[in-house]
Amino acid sequence: MNALIAARNIHKSYPMGKQTLHVLKGVSLQAQAGSFIAIVGASGSGKSTLLHILGTLDKPDQGSVEFEGKDLSRLSAGRLNKYRNRSVGFIFQFYHLLNELNVLENTLLPTMISNGSAGYLRRKKELQDSAAALLERLGLSGRLRHRPFELSGGERQRVAIARALMNKPALLLADEPTGNLDSKTGSGILEILKELNRAGQTIILVTHDVRIAQEAGEIVRLEDGKIVQ
């Protein structure tokens, strides 16, 4: 069976003054459609860097990433933007919501980008109804008009999940999605991710918390830029 996404022999380094920091040293990873993979490791092990490369937020120095059998390095800038907008949903530790927009508007951002101004206006009612239904599913129906600064940390992360799911991406990339939350709230976010996976959503999650990772279907451990058993 072909993998939904596959990283092959990924190397990544960053200049640090006169020295070079080698973050990833030949990492290979693949995820089948419908899988739930947790990448674990200490701070600085390369977890987030690998996730960013899978989402094309960063480029490898060496190696390749294939999505549905296509080498992402061969795509034009426009097609890469489409990949990030439509095929991948991103969830970050610190939410990255826009305080000037309310919950519904933050959730709609990916569709505004993918449809363009004219297309969004033509489909505005349909897209708003879809976003509202998604937010209701995540327990936020009473928060549609609230701004992010009016929400708790758990509510903000649920908005971020709704935004990530708005364009129905094939792949969900979650970078420490519970890292900024207390254990009870974090457990609630993890339950949402598990429910999404049971419904068929492919998820790759980065965490330093082994207890969180154990809830995934597969655990990949990174140490010093390499995958270890």
Side-chain angles (χ1 to χ4, degrees):
M1 181 184 297
N2 292 330
L4 176 68
I5 191 165
R8 308 187 193 283
N9 193 33
I10 299 297
H11 290 256
K12 184 65 180 180
S13 300
Y14 297 97
M16 298 287 287
K18 295 182 179 180
Q19 297 183 332
T20 299
L21 177 64
H22 299 281
V23 180
L24 296 175
K25 306 170 184 176
V27 171
S28 295
L29 172 75
Q30 63 179 23
Q32 305 294 334
S35 60
F36 187 175
I37 297 175
I39 302 174
V40 300
S43 177
S45 61
K47 307 184 304 296
S48 294
T49 298
L50 178 58
L51 204 72
H52 291 172
I53 287 174
L54 294 175
T56 69
L57 298 178
D58 204 348
K59 294 181 179 180
D61 299 328
Q62 182 182 327
S64 64
V65 176
E66 295 179 2
F67 181 79
E68 296 180 335
K70 298 177 182 177
D71 187 342
L72 295 178
S73 69
R74 298 180 180 274
L75 299 185
S76 65
R79 292 181 67 189
L80 275 178
N81 287 337
K82 185 177 290 187
Y83 165 75
R84 283 188 289 264
N85 178 250
R86 300 183 183 180
S87 297
V88 185
F90 296 94
I91 305 170
F92 300 101
Q93 179 177 351
F94 295 104
Y95 327 126
H96 295 312
L97 302 175
L98 299 181
N99 276 323
E100 60 268 30
L101 302 181
N102 63 33
V103 165
L104 184 63
E105 291 165 341
N106 267 287
T107 304
L108 284 164
L109 276 174
T111 61
M112 292 178 180
I113 293 168
S114 59
N115 284 277
S117 299
Y120 172 75
L121 289 173
R122 282 196 302 270
R123 301 181 60 200
K124 185 176 180 179
K125 179 64 165 60
E126 169 198 347
L127 295 172
Q128 286 184 338
D129 287 348
S130 294
L134 186 54
L135 289 162
E136 182 177 7
R137 178 181 168 193
L138 293 171
L140 292 166
S141 58
R143 293 283 193 264
L144 301 190
R145 305 301 173 186
H146 286 66
R147 302 292 179 90
F149 58 82
E150 299 175 297
L151 306 178
S152 68
E155 287 172 331
R156 292 182 198 181
Q157 194 60 291
R158 280 183 278 155
V159 176
I161 292 172
R163 180 185 59 193
L165 295 172
M166 191 61 205
N167 275 345
K168 299 181 174 62
L171 175 64
L172 196 61
L173 299 178
D175 192 357
E176 297 279 7
T178 64
N180 202 37
L181 305 171
D182 62 74
S183 59
K184 181 179 179 180
T185 306
S187 295
I189 295 299
L190 181 60
E191 286 303 315
I192 290 172
L193 295 177
K194 289 167 63 178
E195 180 182 342
L196 290 169
N197 178 246
R198 287 192 291 268
Q201 179 69 59
T202 308
I203 301 173
I204 301 178
L205 174 149
V206 157
T207 181
H208 67 277
D209 190 334
V210 176
R211 293 172 298 174
I212 297 293
Q214 287 173 340
E215 299 294 327
E218 178 183 349
I219 299 176
V220 172
R221 184 178 299 278
L222 271 176
E223 287 185 11
D224 192 28
K226 298 179 180 179
I227 290 178
V228 298
Q229 296 298 324

